[in-house]
C-alpha cells in the first residue's frame, strides 16, 4: 500500500475516534461507510478538511466519508489497521450495544426520523455492494440489445452468443435474493452463508414451480403458506435476513458451545422457514408490488415533468444519502417489468448534468489550480462516473454551480419526458456508458436519450460558466473597492 493511502487511512481512523470506535466498515463506489460505537468521538469538521477527502456527513446510523475513485484502496488500508475484521467487530459491537441497552441511559429514542435513517442505512448496506454484479449483468444485456435484431442486426436470436449474453445478463436479476441474501447478512451481522442459503431456499425450483402452478393448500410445519415466486425480488430477502439476525443471535447465545456449531444454523433456518415463507416473504412481495406500481404510475400522475424533477434533484439525494431509496425501487421495477420511463432515464441525464457542471467550471474558473482541479473532476465524472468530486468540490464550494447542475438536469429531463424516452436496460454506472440504458427499445428511443443527455451536459456547462464568471466579476469588483 502506498504511503498516500497509508497516511490518509491513519488520519481517517484518528478522526473517526480511533480503531476501537469502528464497529463496521464498508464502502460503495465513492464513500467509506462507518458504523461507530460512539459518534461523539468523530471529528466531522476535521474529516471534511482532511486532504484526500471530499467531504463527510452522518446519514442515519452511518458516518460517510467521501473519497472518490480511490475509495477501495483507502478502505483496504483502513481495514489493515483495524484490530479485527469489520464483520467480527460488528458482531462484538452488537453484543456490547445489547448490554448497554439494558441500562436506561443507553436506550435510543425511537422516532420517525430514526426509523427512516435506519431504513436508509439498511438499504445502503444491502444494495450498495450488489451494484458491481448488476453492472456486469447490464454489460452482457447490452450486447444483444445493440448487436441484435432490434438495432444493428448483427447477431441472430438463435446464435450461441445471443443466448449466452441474454441468460448471463438476466442471472443477476433473477437470482437477486441470493445476492442480496449475502450482502444483507454482512450488513445485519448474520453468518453470510446462512443469508445465501435463505436466498437459495426462496429461489428453489420446487418453490418456483409450485408458485407457477398456483398450488393451494401448501403448509410449512402446518402453517398455511401463500406460495410466491421470489425471483427478482428485493424487499422479502432483506426483511427475512434482518429478522434472522436476531434469531441466529438468540441460538448462538443460549445453546451450549459444544453443540452450537451444528444446531444453531439448523435451528435458525428451521425457525425462519415459516417466518420467511408464510409471513415476511408474501408481505415483502406485496410491498414490492406497491413500490413498482408507484414508480410506474409516477409518470401518469406527474406527466413529463416527473423525469425533469428527478433529474434535477437526484444529485441532492446523493448528497443526503437518500438516493439508495430510489435505487432500491428501480431494482424492483426492472426485475418486475424490465424497463422504466421516469426515474431511470433521469439518473443518466442527471449524471450528464454533473459532467457539464464540472466542464463549465473548468471553462469559467480563472485560477489555474482551481481550473485544473475542475478539469480533473470533469474527467472523473465522464470516465469513472463519480459525481461527489463535482458535488462537493465545485457545487458545495462555490454554491452558484448548483444552478447549472439543477437547471441542466431539469432541461434534459424535460426533453426526455416530452419524448417518452425509457430506459430498457438498468445501467447503474453514471459515466458515458450509462447512455447504453437507452438501448434495447428502439432507435428513436436511443436517439432521444442521447439528445436529452447532451442537452443536460451542455445546458449545465453553459449555466455554470455564466454564474461562475458573474461571481468572479463581483469578487474582483469588491476587491477593487
Amino acid at each position: 500500500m502506498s504511503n498516500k493511502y497509508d497516511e490518509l487511512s491513519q488520519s481517517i481512523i484518528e478522526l473517526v475516534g480511533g480503531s476501537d470506535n469502528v464497529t463496521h466498515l464498508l464502502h460503495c463506489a465513492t464513500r467509506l461507510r462507518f458504523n461507530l460505537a460512539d459518534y461523539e468521538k468523530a471529528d466531522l469538521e476535521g474529516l471534511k478538511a482532511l486532504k484526500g477527502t471530499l467531504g463527510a456527513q452522518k446519514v442515519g446510523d452511518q458516518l460517510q466519508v467521501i473519497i472518490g475513485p480511490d475509495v477501495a484502496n483507502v478502505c483496504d488500508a483502513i481495514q489493515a489497521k483495524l484490530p479485527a475484521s469489520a464483520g467480527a467487530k460488528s458482531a462484538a459491537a452488537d453484543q456490547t450495544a445489547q448490554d448497554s441497552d439494558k441500562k436506561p441511559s443507553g436506550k435510543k429514542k425511537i422516532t420517525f426520523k430514526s426509523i427512516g435513517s435506519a431504513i436508509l442505512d439498511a438499504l445502503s448496506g444491502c444494495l450498495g455492494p450488489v451494484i458491481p454484479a448488476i453492472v456486469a449483468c447490464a454489460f452482457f444485456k447490452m450486447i444483444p440489445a445493440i448487436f441484435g435484431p432490434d438495432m444493428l442486426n448483427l447477431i441472430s436470436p438463435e446464435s450461441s452468443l445471443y443466448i449466452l449474453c441474454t441468460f448471463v445478463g438476466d442471472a443477476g436479476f433473477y437470482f437477486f435474493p441470493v445476492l442480496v441474501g449475502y450482502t444483507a447478512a454482512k450488513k445485519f451481522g448474520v453468518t453470510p452463508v446462512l443469508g445465501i442459503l435463505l436466498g437459495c431456499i426462496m429461489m428453489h425450483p420446487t418453490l418456483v414451480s409450485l408458485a407457477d402452478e398456483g398450488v393451494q393448500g401448501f403448509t410449512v410445519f402446518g402453517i398455511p403458506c401463500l406460495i410466491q415466486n421470489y425471483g427478482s425480488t428485493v424487499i422479502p430477502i432483506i426483511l427475512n435476513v434482518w429478522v434472522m439476525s436476531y434469531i441466529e443471535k438468540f441460538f448462538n447465545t443460549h445453546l451450549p458451545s459444544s453443540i452450537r456449531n451444528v444446531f444453531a444454523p439448523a435451528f435458525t433456518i428451521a425457525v425462519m422457514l415459516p417466518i420467511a415463507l408464510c409471513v415476511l416473504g408474501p408481505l415483502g412481495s406485496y410491498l414490492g408490488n406497491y413500490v413498482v406500481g408507484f414508480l410506474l404510475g409516477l409518470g401518469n400522475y406527474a406527466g413529463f415533468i416527473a423525469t425533469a424533477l428527478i433529474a434535477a434533484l437526484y444529485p441532492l439525494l446523493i448528497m443526503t444519502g437518500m438516493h439508495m431509496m430510489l435505487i432500491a425501487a428501480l431494482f424492483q421495477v426492472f426485475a418486475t417489468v424490465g424497463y422504466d420511463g421516469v426515474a431511470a432515464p433521469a439518473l443518466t441525464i442527471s449524471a450528464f448534468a454533473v459532467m457539464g457542471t464540472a466542464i463549465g467550471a473548468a471553462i469559467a474558473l480563472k485560477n489555474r489550480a482551481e481550473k485544473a482541479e475542475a478539469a480533473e473532476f470533469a474527467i472523473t465524472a465522464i470516465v469513472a462516473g463519480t459525481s461527489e468530486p463535482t458535488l462537493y468540490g465545485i457545487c458545495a464550494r462555490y454554491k452558484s454551480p448548483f444552478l447549472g447542475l439543477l437547471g441542466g438536469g431539469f432541461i434534459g429531463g424535460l426533453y426526455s419526458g416530452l419524448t417518452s424516452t425509457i430506459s430498457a436496460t438498468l445501467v447503474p454506472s453514471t459515466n458515458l456508458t450509462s447512455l447504453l440504458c437507452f438501448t434495447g427499445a428502439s432507435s428513436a428511443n436511443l436517439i432521444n436519450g442521447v439528445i436529452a443527455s447532451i442537452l443536460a451536459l451542455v445546458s449545465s456547462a453553459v449555466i455554470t460558466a455564466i454564474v461562475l464568471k458573474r461571481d468572479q466579476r463581483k469578487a474582483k469588483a469588491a476587491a477593487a473597492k
Side-chain angles (χ1 to χ4, degrees):
M1 191 66 61
S2 70
N3 289 333
K4 178 178 69 172
Y5 300 130
D6 188 67
E7 294 174 4
L8 178 59
S9 62
Q10 185 59 46
S11 298
I12 291 174
I13 290 174
E14 293 172 359
L15 289 169
V16 298
S19 58
D20 291 337
N21 198 36
V22 180
T23 62
H24 190 68
L25 170 64
L26 55 83
H27 72 85
C28 58
T30 58
R31 306 181 187 199
L32 298 168
R33 297 173 180 267
F34 289 93
N35 287 94
L36 304 178
D38 184 359
Y39 287 93
E40 295 298 323
K41 294 181 179 180
D43 182 357
L44 199 61
E45 295 304 317
L47 287 167
K48 292 178 181 178
L50 181 63
K51 184 177 181 181
T53 68
L54 297 169
Q57 59 187 357
K58 187 174 183 293
V59 179
D61 290 330
Q62 280 188 345
L63 176 65
Q64 299 181 2
V65 182
I66 300 116
I67 301 295
D70 288 335
V71 66
N73 293 322
V74 177
C75 186
D76 289 343
I78 293 174
Q79 289 281 16
K81 291 179 172 62
L82 297 180
S85 67
K89 290 195 65 158
S90 180
D94 285 343
Q95 185 61 48
T96 302
Q98 275 191 335
D99 295 339
S100 64
D101 283 345
K102 295 176 183 177
K103 304 175 183 179
S105 60
K107 292 181 180 179
K108 293 182 179 180
K109 184 178 180 181
I110 298 176
T111 63
F112 285 112
K113 181 179 179 181
S114 66
I115 293 172
S117 297
I119 292 173
L120 287 175
D121 180 53
L123 288 175
S124 174
C126 294
L127 297 179
V130 180
I131 289 178
I134 299 303
V135 171
C137 291
F139 173 81
F140 283 96
K141 286 180 71 71
M142 291 174 203
I143 294 175
I146 295 173
F147 298 102
D150 292 333
M151 289 194 66
L152 300 180
N153 199 23
L154 298 177
I155 305 176
S156 72
E158 292 77 26
S159 68
S160 296
L161 179 60
Y162 189 99
I163 295 171
L164 174 68
C165 291
T166 299
F167 77 72
V168 171
D170 290 337
F173 289 102
Y174 184 78
F175 291 103
F176 214 60
V178 179
L179 298 176
V180 178
Y182 170 76
T183 58
K186 297 284 285 184
K187 171 61 184 173
F188 297 125
V190 177
T191 302
V193 292
L194 291 184
I196 295 172
L197 176 59
L198 190 60
C200 291
I201 291 170
M202 298 176 70
M203 286 303 305
H204 195 280
T206 300
L207 185 64
V208 172
S209 64
L210 289 174
D212 292 341
E213 293 167 8
V215 172
Q216 302 291 327
F218 182 78
T219 65
V220 179
F221 304 145
I223 302 173
C225 176
L226 178 62
I227 297 293
Q228 300 275 330
N229 184 344
Y230 296 107
S232 304
T233 59
V234 178
I235 298 176
I237 188 65
I238 293 178
L239 289 175
N240 280 309
V241 175
W242 172 57
V243 171
M244 186 164 67
S245 68
Y246 294 97
I247 294 172
E248 184 190 29
K249 190 177 297 181
F250 173 83
F251 286 120
N252 283 335
T253 302
H254 292 86
L255 287 178
S257 58
S258 58
I259 63 173
R260 184 181 303 151
N261 290 340
V262 175
F263 288 98
F267 288 172
T268 298
I269 294 298
V271 172
M272 280 305 304
L273 287 176
I275 295 174
L277 300 179
C278 302
V279 182
L280 294 181
L283 175 62
S285 182
Y286 183 77
L287 292 175
N289 290 335
Y290 264 94
V291 170
V292 173
F294 170 76
L295 207 55
L296 291 178
L298 192 59
N300 296 329
Y301 290 113
F304 59 85
I305 203 72
T307 302
L309 290 174
I310 296 174
L313 299 176
Y314 184 69
L316 303 183
L317 294 182
I318 293 176
M319 296 183 75
T320 59
M322 295 182 64
H323 63 297
M324 288 308 304
M325 243 350 155
L326 188 56
I327 295 294
L330 284 175
F331 277 141
Q332 188 70 54
V333 168
F334 274 87
T336 305
V337 298
Y339 71 92
D340 177 62
V342 180
L347 267 58
T348 294
I349 292 165
S350 178
F352 274 78
V354 171
M355 300 175 197
T357 300
I359 292 172
I363 293 172
L365 290 171
K366 295 181 179 180
N367 181 282
R368 288 188 178 182
E370 293 176 355
K371 181 184 287 287
E373 188 178 50
E376 180 183 348
F377 292 164
I379 294 172
T380 301
I382 294 169
V383 177
T386 307
S387 59
E388 279 86 351
T390 300
L391 296 180
Y392 292 95
I394 294 176
C395 295
R397 180 179 180 182
Y398 302 106
K399 304 299 187 295
S400 60
F402 272 117
L403 295 174
L405 179 66
L406 273 61
F410 187 87
I411 292 170
L414 191 63
Y415 179 88
S416 175
L418 287 170
T419 55
S420 301
T421 303
I422 68 168
S423 287
T425 305
L426 179 59
V427 184
S429 62
T430 51
N431 56 14
L432 278 177
T433 61
S434 62
L435 286 174
L436 295 173
C437 74
F438 301 116
T439 62
S442 65
S443 298
N445 187 77
L446 175 60
I447 292 171
N448 284 326
V450 172
I451 291 174
S453 301
I454 292 175
L455 275 174
L457 186 149
V458 173
S459 56
S460 61
V462 171
I463 296 172
T464 299
I466 290 173
V467 295
L468 278 178
K469 286 183 177 180
R470 179 203 63 191
D471 292 347
Q472 290 174 112
R473 285 196 302 269
K474 288 183 178 179
K476 185 177 180 180
K481 289 181 179 180

